[in-house]
Amino acid sequence: MLNTELIATLKTAEVAPQAHIIGGRPVANRDGQVLDVLSPRDGGVLTIIAAGGSEEIDLAVAVARQSFEQRSWSAMPPAGRKRVLVRLAELIETHAYELAVLGVRDNGTEISMALKAEPGSAAGTFRYYGEAIDKVYGEIAPTAANVIGLINRSPVGVVGAIVPWNFPLMIGAWKIAPALAAGNSVVLKPAETASLTLLRLAELALEAGLPEGVLNVVTGRGTEAGKALALHRDVDVLAFTGSGVVGRKLMEYSAASNLKAVYLELGGKSPNVVFPDAPDLDAAAAAAVNGIFRNSGQVCVSGSRLLVHQHIHDEFLARVVERTEALTVGDPLDAGSDMGAVNSAEQLDKNLGYVASAQEDGAVLCSGGNRVLEETGGYFMEPTIFRAVNTEMRIAQEEVFGPLLSVIPFQDEADAIRIANATPYGLAAGVWTGDLGRAHRMVDRIDAGVIHVNCYGGSDITVPLGGLKQSGNGHDKSLHALEKYTALKTAWINIS
Ligand code: NAD
């Protein structure tokens, strides 16, 4: 049960103008430039953030490097780092409502989801990596007897992290927590439309005992602060979540600067495949709806292509449409809203542009398609379903990142695999079948980093999330994420 009284109090609290957090203290932009933070709930100005650029990035990277070299964090025994990270997890939990409501006011996610996915998941992530880091051992190689080959993992140094506006706290934590646990110092650049919770997180990290300068947050535009971070010659590793368009640029920036390692978590066009032998078609319909419309479709692993076997296509689609039309779109801070607001006016325009393009391409609109609640000033859109979609259409190829479902019929297993793989992406997928052999064949043949069987979208911190093909490289979550933030070092010791 949501604490609606607390939400009501928090949702009108004034949000102070925000500065960067560099070296453990607020730092204003040298040139005084700021950006308005618009709330997607009503389009009003919530507060302002500093519009950082290369000067602020230079300062933050220098401070991060200095903190790394002072070794107060990087050489702290893992059990000490664990204490700080677990304390931070506790503080996030204590401030869960404050963080969730602030995040919703900033980015529009429905509160029921935001509470779990943002502070809930971020706290779990800091606890997981804090608890893990004093249990990760090095290796001894099987060398000849006159030698000891020690293989250790050491922190890489300064990690730059650039994150998107959907689930900023969760995705930020997926990068910051393993990077800090491994002993690195971090410079984080949040998305310009979702910076507030990450600034607050940096304050809580200081309160938890993280030494000053180890976690720095520089806000501002991607084309300025983000680009400066990606081009910086003293950043050792860049961890990114966002679009493929920007991901490509980051690789160019790395090539044009110091060849820093660039890890990309990008978008998807994920297929959710329903066979007639699915154990529970009603559950499949419910998951298909939830899998695309939660957070207004602004989820990287959204099941945005629903592939339905031709024998059950019409009946299954009817169930999906019925459930979709029962969803309530409304104020994301209202506990009764199933879908909140789209993050920005630009994203809403983009979504509506895809509706027009689908119609031009010959897809058939069977639900939604419009902006709603315009009188609130907020950016709301109906959950939208197109049928008769084929793999050539833009809505079957491009990531919309909005509440738009493309329904595509298929004939048999081979056809389903062909359609499922017919995009440049490979992030997530779903398969609904009661046939164990078929489930394994689909898991084997579909190009995706995560495949859900008889469910859609479940996960926790123990398993990696990462894409194949143009959905990215590297992984967030699980112990595997530590690989990105550590360097393998060999000591070849002659003992003869
Ligand atoms: P985006 O690529 O537009 O922006 C992401 C971040 O990059 C922002 O902080 C932005 O300021 C910054 N940026 C923009 N231009 C830049 C530049 N030239 N140099 C450096 N930084 C720059 O993405 P978005 O619209 O914020 O987020 C949505 C995208 O993120 C979708 O494609 C979605 O699928 C993807 N995503 C992926 C995952 C995953 O785990 N694979 C998770 C969530 C979101």
Side-chain angles (χ1 to χ4, degrees):
M1 273 290 277
L2 290 174
N3 185 339
T4 48
E5 261 176 53
L6 186 50
I7 293 170
T9 311
L10 289 166
K11 77 179 180 187
T12 53
E14 200 178 317
V15 185
Q18 302 286 307
H20 311 291
I21 297 191
I22 301 176
R25 56 189 182 86
V27 174
N29 242 39
R30 270 216 221 151
D31 61 6
Q33 292 290 308
V34 295
L35 297 174
D36 281 341
V37 176
L38 302 182
S39 177
R41 291 173 63 223
D42 56 15
V45 178
L46 189 56
T47 185
I48 49 173
I49 54 172
S54 55
E55 285 189 41
E56 287 71 29
I57 289 291
D58 284 350
L59 177 65
V61 173
V63 164
R65 174 63 61 193
Q66 194 183 22
S67 75
F68 184 72
E69 278 170 8
Q70 279 170 348
R71 296 169 60 82
S72 58
W73 180 252
S74 52
M76 185 185 281
R81 279 186 252 139
K82 165 164 108 177
R83 270 193 296 279
V84 174
L85 296 178
V86 170
R87 174 81 185 116
L88 176 54
E90 289 162 0
L91 285 172
I92 294 170
E93 281 161 350
T94 307
H95 294 269
Y97 269 86
E98 177 204 330
L99 287 162
V101 173
L102 184 64
V104 172
R105 294 173 78 192
D106 199 6
N107 82 344
T109 302
E110 50 277 3
I111 183 71
S112 51
M113 178 171 209
L115 250 183
K116 263 191 273 169
E118 286 280 272
S121 159
T125 299
F126 280 101
R127 183 170 284 113
Y128 176 85
Y129 289 105
E131 290 287 0
I133 203 64
D134 63 353
K135 299 166 191 73
V136 177
Y137 292 78
E139 297 163 28
I140 299 179
T143 56
N146 64 337
V147 163
I148 297 179
L150 293 182
I151 306 167
N152 272 320
R153 288 196 168 270
S154 48
V156 291
V158 176
V159 172
I162 302 179
V163 295
W165 44 259
N166 68 321
F167 308 112
L169 205 50
M170 174 175 84
I171 293 174
W174 287 349
K175 317 241 180 258
I176 301 166
L180 291 182
N184 299 287
S185 292
V186 175
V187 178
L188 172 76
K189 208 299 280 175
E192 38 280 65
T193 58
S195 299
L196 302 180
T197 51
L198 287 165
L199 288 164
R200 184 74 184 108
L201 177 76
E203 290 173 354
L204 294 176
L206 291 165
E207 196 178 325
L210 192 70
E212 291 172 358
V214 174
L215 173 61
N216 307 279
V217 182
V218 177
T219 56
R221 294 190 182 87
T223 46
E224 291 166 16
K227 183 175 176 181
L229 183 60
L231 274 170
H232 205 289
R233 291 183 173 271
D234 204 25
V235 170
D236 299 290
V237 161
L238 188 67
F240 173 74
T241 297
S243 63
V245 174
V246 175
R248 277 192 166 73
K249 288 187 186 159
L250 301 185
M251 288 192 143
E252 287 172 17
Y253 298 156
S254 164
S257 53
N258 62 338
L259 287 179
K260 58 180 75 61
V262 179
Y263 295 105
L264 305 173
E265 300 283 336
L266 308 175
K269 192 75 208 176
S270 300
N272 185 14
V273 187
V274 185
F275 287 94
D277 64 359
D280 183 345
L281 283 173
D282 227 30
V289 170
N290 189 41
I292 176 65
F293 295 129
R294 65 201 165 127
N295 197 21
S296 300
Q298 302 165 135
V299 179
C300 55
V301 295
S302 274
S304 54
R305 290 184 300 147
L306 181 60
L307 277 52
V308 188
H309 191 277
Q310 57 188 7
H311 290 162
I312 55 164
H313 178 276
D314 291 357
E315 184 236 320
F316 188 76
L317 177 57
R319 292 194 209 205
V320 169
V321 169
E322 189 187 339
R323 285 180 176 276
T324 299
E325 292 184 346
L327 296 176
T328 305
V329 181
D331 182 352
L333 285 173
D334 182 339
S337 298
D338 300 306
M339 266 174 62
V342 171
N343 177 255
S344 64
E346 293 73 33
Q347 183 64 44
L348 179 60
D349 284 348
K350 185 178 165 198
N351 297 347
L352 296 171
Y354 274 105
V355 171
S357 129
Q359 283 170 319
E360 278 161 28
D361 286 348
V364 178
L365 182 66
C366 39
S367 192
N370 299 302
R371 179 177 186 178
V372 286
L373 303 173
E374 204 168 340
E375 66 284 3
T376 62
Y379 318 131
F380 296 94
M381 180 167 169
E382 289 174 314
T384 298
I385 302 177
F386 278 99
R387 63 179 290 163
V389 176
N390 67 48
T391 51
E392 265 71 70
M393 294 179 185
R394 280 182 67 208
I395 51 159
Q397 286 295 318
E398 297 174 20
E399 183 188 44
V400 178
F401 220 54
L404 203 154
L405 180 65
S406 300
V407 183
I408 307 174
F410 69 86
Q411 292 165 10
D412 55 25
E413 215 176 286
D415 197 32
I417 292 166
R418 180 187 63 78
I419 298 169
N421 289 340
T423 79
Y425 293 108
L427 189 56
V431 177
W432 296 80
T433 178
D435 177 337
L436 188 61
R438 168 177 282 160
H440 278 288
R441 288 192 297 275
M442 298 297 284
V443 168
D444 186 38
R445 303 277 308 277
I446 292 181
D447 301 330
V450 54
I451 303 186
H452 305 94
V453 178
N454 294 328
C455 59
Y456 196 91
S459 166
D460 69 18
I461 190 67
T462 63
V463 290
L465 173 66
L468 307 184
K469 292 159 64 177
Q470 291 183 33
S471 288
N473 58 10
H475 291 87
D476 279 334
K477 300 167 58 201
S478 83
L479 293 182
H480 291 286
L482 290 170
E483 291 156 19
K484 296 191 293 193
Y485 305 113
T486 51
L488 278 183
K489 260 193 187 169
T490 297
W492 184 260
I493 303 168
N494 182 348
I495 55 166
S496 52

